[in-house]
Amino acid sequence: GKLSTEEKALLDAVEAGEFESVLTESRKRELEAIATNTFKKDKRINIRISNRDLTAIQSRASEEGIPYQTFVSSIIHKYISGSLQDLTANKHVRPTQEPRN
Protein backbone atom coordinates (compact mmCIF):
# COMPACT_ATOMS: atom_id res chain seq x y z
CA GLY A 1 0.00 0.00 0.00
CA LYS A 2 0.99 3.62 -0.47
CA LEU A 3 1.87 5.82 2.47
CA SER A 4 -0.58 8.60 3.22
CA THR A 5 0.75 12.16 3.26
CA GLU A 6 0.68 12.07 7.06
CA GLU A 7 2.54 8.75 7.19
CA LYS A 8 5.11 10.00 4.68
CA ALA A 9 5.72 13.13 6.78
CA LEU A 10 6.10 10.97 9.88
CA LEU A 11 8.48 8.58 8.15
CA ASP A 12 10.59 11.50 6.87
CA ALA A 13 10.71 12.98 10.38
CA VAL A 14 11.74 9.63 11.87
CA GLU A 15 14.45 9.11 9.25
CA ALA A 16 15.72 12.67 9.79
CA GLY A 17 16.01 11.89 13.51
CA GLU A 18 13.41 14.49 14.44
CA PHE A 19 11.15 12.00 16.18
CA GLU A 20 11.11 12.26 19.97
CA SER A 21 9.78 9.46 22.14
CA VAL A 22 7.31 10.73 24.69
CA LEU A 23 7.47 7.91 27.20
CA THR A 24 4.83 8.29 29.88
CA GLU A 25 5.05 6.35 33.11
CA SER A 26 2.00 4.25 32.13
CA ARG A 27 3.45 3.51 28.67
CA LYS A 28 6.72 2.46 30.29
CA ARG A 29 4.84 0.09 32.64
CA GLU A 30 2.85 -1.25 29.68
CA LEU A 31 6.06 -1.95 27.70
CA GLU A 32 7.65 -3.64 30.70
CA ALA A 33 4.56 -5.82 31.21
CA ILE A 34 4.52 -6.78 27.53
CA ALA A 35 8.23 -7.58 27.66
CA THR A 36 7.82 -9.69 30.81
CA ASN A 37 4.83 -11.63 29.48
CA THR A 38 5.95 -12.10 25.91
CA PHE A 39 9.58 -12.87 26.33
CA LYS A 40 9.85 -15.77 28.66
CA LYS A 41 13.44 -16.58 27.91
CA ASP A 42 12.83 -19.68 25.78
CA LYS A 43 15.81 -19.60 23.47
CA ARG A 44 18.98 -17.59 23.24
CA ILE A 45 20.12 -16.51 19.79
CA ASN A 46 23.37 -14.98 18.66
CA ILE A 47 23.29 -12.67 15.66
CA ARG A 48 25.66 -10.21 14.01
CA ILE A 49 24.40 -6.77 13.06
CA SER A 50 26.13 -3.61 11.89
CA ASN A 51 27.49 -1.15 14.43
CA ARG A 52 25.19 1.47 12.93
CA ASP A 53 22.09 -0.64 13.51
CA LEU A 54 23.17 -1.58 17.04
CA THR A 55 23.80 2.05 17.95
CA ALA A 56 20.38 3.02 16.59
CA ILE A 57 18.70 0.15 18.47
CA GLN A 58 20.42 1.05 21.75
CA SER A 59 19.44 4.67 21.31
CA ARG A 60 15.76 3.86 20.63
CA ALA A 61 15.67 1.34 23.52
CA SER A 62 17.08 3.98 25.83
CA GLU A 63 14.34 6.41 24.70
CA GLU A 64 11.77 3.72 25.54
CA GLY A 65 13.48 3.10 28.87
CA ILE A 66 14.02 -0.63 28.28
CA PRO A 67 17.13 -2.81 27.72
CA TYR A 68 18.08 -3.03 24.05
CA GLN A 69 17.79 -6.85 24.06
CA THR A 70 14.17 -6.49 25.19
CA PHE A 71 13.62 -3.89 22.48
CA VAL A 72 15.00 -6.25 19.81
CA SER A 73 12.75 -9.06 21.09
CA SER A 74 9.75 -6.77 20.93
CA ILE A 75 10.56 -5.71 17.36
CA ILE A 76 10.79 -9.34 16.27
CA HIS A 77 7.60 -10.26 18.13
CA LYS A 78 5.66 -7.34 16.61
CA TYR A 79 6.94 -8.11 13.11
CA ILE A 80 6.04 -11.80 13.36
CA SER A 81 2.61 -11.08 14.86
CA GLY A 82 1.86 -8.63 12.05
CA SER A 83 1.66 -5.44 14.08
CA LEU A 84 4.95 -4.15 12.67
CA GLN A 85 5.28 -3.67 8.91
CA ASP A 86 8.51 -3.27 6.98
CA LEU A 87 8.48 0.43 6.06
CA THR A 88 10.95 -0.14 3.22
CA ALA A 89 8.63 -2.70 1.62
CA ASN A 90 6.37 0.14 0.50
CA LYS A 91 9.20 2.00 -1.21
CA HIS A 92 9.95 -0.56 -3.89
CA VAL A 93 7.69 -1.11 -6.87
CA ARG A 94 7.36 -4.82 -7.46
CA PRO A 95 8.01 -5.89 -11.04
CA THR A 96 4.82 -7.02 -12.73
CA GLN A 97 4.69 -10.72 -13.54
CA GLU A 98 4.29 -11.83 -17.11
CA PRO A 99 0.85 -13.41 -17.54
CA ARG A 100 1.00 -17.16 -17.95
CA ASN A 101 -0.54 -18.80 -21.01
Side-chain angles (χ1 to χ4, degrees):
K2 295 285 285 178
L3 292 179
S4 72
T5 311
E6 188 182 336
E7 288 169 329
K8 181 81 176 79
L10 179 61
L11 182 58
D12 290 344
V14 170
E15 289 176 342
E18 295 162 11
F19 201 72
E20 289 284 314
S21 174
V22 206
L23 186 68
T24 61
E25 213 30 65
S26 64
R27 176 67 177 142
K28 184 173 179 181
R29 280 196 301 272
E30 181 191 348
L31 286 169
E32 283 166 352
I34 291 168
T36 306
N37 295 334
T38 311
F39 313 115
K40 305 282 184 245
K41 306 294 183 272
D42 299 307
K43 298 281 183 236
R44 172 181 292 277
I45 64 168
N46 199 345
I47 60 172
R48 293 187 170 277
I49 63 173
S50 71
N51 277 324
R52 182 181 173 193
D53 284 350
L54 180 59
T55 304
I57 285 169
Q58 287 170 327
S59 156
R60 289 293 295 273
S62 139
E63 286 172 14
E64 295 283 6
I66 58 177
Y68 77 89
Q69 296 95 330
T70 305
F71 184 62
V72 170
S73 289
S74 91
I75 293 169
I76 293 169
H77 177 74
K78 286 175 187 168
Y79 188 85
I80 295 305
S81 66
S83 65
L84 182 73
Q85 266 83 46
D86 183 356
L87 293 176
T88 58
N90 295 328
K91 290 182 175 176
H92 305 295
V93 178
R94 295 220 167 80
T96 54
Q97 295 253 304
E98 286 295 314
R100 294 205 173 150
N101 293 331

